[in-house]
Amino acid sequence: MATEDARYRDSSQYRLWSFSPTQLSALREKTNAAARARISERLLSHPLPVSTSKQDLSAPTSNANTPDPDGNSTPALPEFLTPAEELTLVGYYTSEILRASEALHYADEIKATAAMFLKRFYITNSIMTYPPAEMFFVALFFACKVDTGHVNLAEYTKIFNKSAEEILAGEFLLCQGLRFAFDVKHPYRALRGAMMELASLPDMQKDLKRLDEAEAKARKVLQFSPLMTDAYFHYTPSQIMLAALSLADRGLAERLIQETFHFVAAEGNDTPGGGGGDNNKGNEEKARVIGSQIRDKVLGAIEGCRDMLSRELPERKDHWLNKQVIKTQITPLRKKLLKCKDPERWNLVELQRVRREQAAKKMDSDDEDDLGGGKKVKKEEDGDIFGGDLGHSAKKRKMTVKKEEDPFGGPMVKKEEPFGGTKVKEEDLSFGRFGGAL
């Protein structure tokens, strides 16, 4: 039977959305560079007409367009957002998703799924291409669908003063950006399992209040810190859970790891004819997965995740609402974004309308080719109005079976283990007993 870790490694979250820090940074830089090149090409291919008004002639010419002999102007390219600036804006809009979800009393899973949908989407799509102020509403609405949180579209649009067309226009774009992989595995159930495990220890029966307080603090961390950082891209749900528990109560987290990774295979049990060989194999497997020799590796991974979560503790919620922070950091970036946005893809409703028209024209063209494109249609015989003989020809017909392919496609980057290039063995992720892969 496959372990929890083996099942997690088969999930789309691990196969498609797990990266080392180096891989993730390189992917974001590649997305930013591609967007800059594409937007530059579109801006240069749509020159602005030269204005002859007195107001324009008297205006400063340092950033003015230079006219050419044909009466057009060569537009000066705007200053584009850097990958770091894009990441700052993604963080801001992620905080907006969390704030809206709390105001609407959505479940933790819906809130976390929406945040991860937005962060995943803007790994392979630039914030300069598709408007984040629109996509975050789309991500939140779609997360409600995925996590079975029924939301009426009319009520949803009324809450946010949006039209149904504006919400639905970005849904397919979001699905494409997510590579149609909608499963997001969270650490909340792992935390509940860890608390049950600790409560079952004899000496913890007298200290249940401590467990309750630690669980409450750890849950607050999980509701904010992993979603505002890249923890979901680098660590498993169980590792994120243990890191949050370590921030809430380091002693309990270390005790849990100590109780888990303590197995030592007994020697001298190889009894001839008594099944000792099979027992030894089972003990060796247990020692490999939960043996004390890998405890240091696990602690190292948890410590790394803990450091990442500590950069965005729940107390930082007020940071993203601070008027001074928004005025000095966010507003300038939003103004800069409006100057370097993609002119052809920024309006999601218009983009959807154009694509529908293109698809309809292509369909009409295909129909015309089938009907009158010079192809000869064989005249049917009177006796074959219901088709030809199925008996003999059907037996000779061969079906070509395509080789099974991954419906999501291959990984976007060559898979490396998310802890600095050293291959991480399966035991480094072994927290299945706490429900980490669920």
Side-chain angles (χ1 to χ4, degrees), residues 113-130:
T113 296
M116 290 313 302
F117 278 176
L118 189 74
K119 291 173 74 73
R120 287 180 178 182
F121 180 81
Y122 282 117
I123 287 179
T124 54
N125 293 279
S126 173
I127 214 169
M128 296 181 286
T129 304
Y130 300 112

Side-chain angles (χ1 to χ4, degrees), residues 401-423:
V401 180
K402 293 184 178 180
K403 184 179 179 182
E404 184 177 356
E405 298 178 353
D406 188 340
F408 303 109
M412 289 180 285
V413 293
K414 185 178 180 182
K415 180 63 68 177
E416 294 179 3
E417 295 299 339
F419 305 113
T422 303
K423 183 173 178 58

Side-chain angles (χ1 to χ4, degrees), residues 273-291:
D278 293 337
N279 289 335
N280 282 347
K281 290 181 180 180
N283 289 337
E284 290 175 0
E285 181 65 17
K286 286 184 179 179
R288 188 181 69 84
V289 175
I290 58 174

Side-chain angles (χ1 to χ4, degrees), residues 396-402:
K396 290 186 176 181
R397 188 180 299 120
K398 295 182 179 180
M399 301 296 293
T400 303
V401 180
K402 293 184 178 180

